[in-house]
Amino acid sequence: MSGVWVFKNGVVRLVENPGDCHGATGRRKVLVHLASNEVISSYASLERKLYSLGWERYYDDPDLLQYHKRSTVHLISLPKDFNRFKSMHMYDIVVKNRNEFEVRDI
């Protein structure tokens, strides 16, 4: 059983299999690069932004895109297919790049 537990009006219920980029509210999420106000719509675009911030690509796992920053212990792991890029991946990028990216509802 997978999904998100939602508490509303004193009732807790399980919302099974929320959409790929949707949160508990059902709104679609996007990753935004704050300096350019650009919505990240592809891995090529994201990779350019990460490289400019000092991230390097790892090629160890053929099923993942992985990036590491030498000055930290952080590792960003993303699914190879951009269509499987979910809000949890977006928030991972935001946490590891404070003041550079933001997740927004659209």
Side-chain angles (χ1 to χ4, degrees), residues 3 6 9-10 19 24-26 30 34 38 40 42-44 49 52 64 73 78 84 91-92 94-96 104:
V6 176
N9 298 330
T25 61
V30 292
L34 294 175
E38 175 186 347
I40 303 300
S42 70
Y43 279 147
K49 303 297 184 198
S52 72
L64 296 172
V73 296
L78 306 171
R84 296 183 60 216
Y91 285 114
D92 187 41
V94 168
V95 167
K96 293 173 182 170
R104 296 182 186 163

Side-chain angles (χ1 to χ4, degrees), residues 12-66:
V12 176
R13 66 182 176 91
L14 178 64
V15 178
E16 292 193 23
N17 301 322
D20 285 350
C21 291
H22 296 70
T25 61
R27 294 186 193 153
R28 187 165 178 262
K29 307 270 187 201
V30 292
L31 182 66
V32 177
H33 181 251
L34 294 175
S36 63
N37 205 32
E38 175 186 347
V39 173
I40 303 300
S41 58
S42 70
Y43 279 147
S45 172
L46 177 60
E47 190 167 88
R48 283 192 301 275
K49 303 297 184 198
L50 291 176
Y51 281 165
S52 72
L53 295 170
W55 290 87
E56 300 175 350
R57 174 92 185 270
Y58 270 12
Y59 292 92
D60 292 340
D61 190 332
D63 297 324
L64 296 172
L65 294 177
Q66 293 184 309

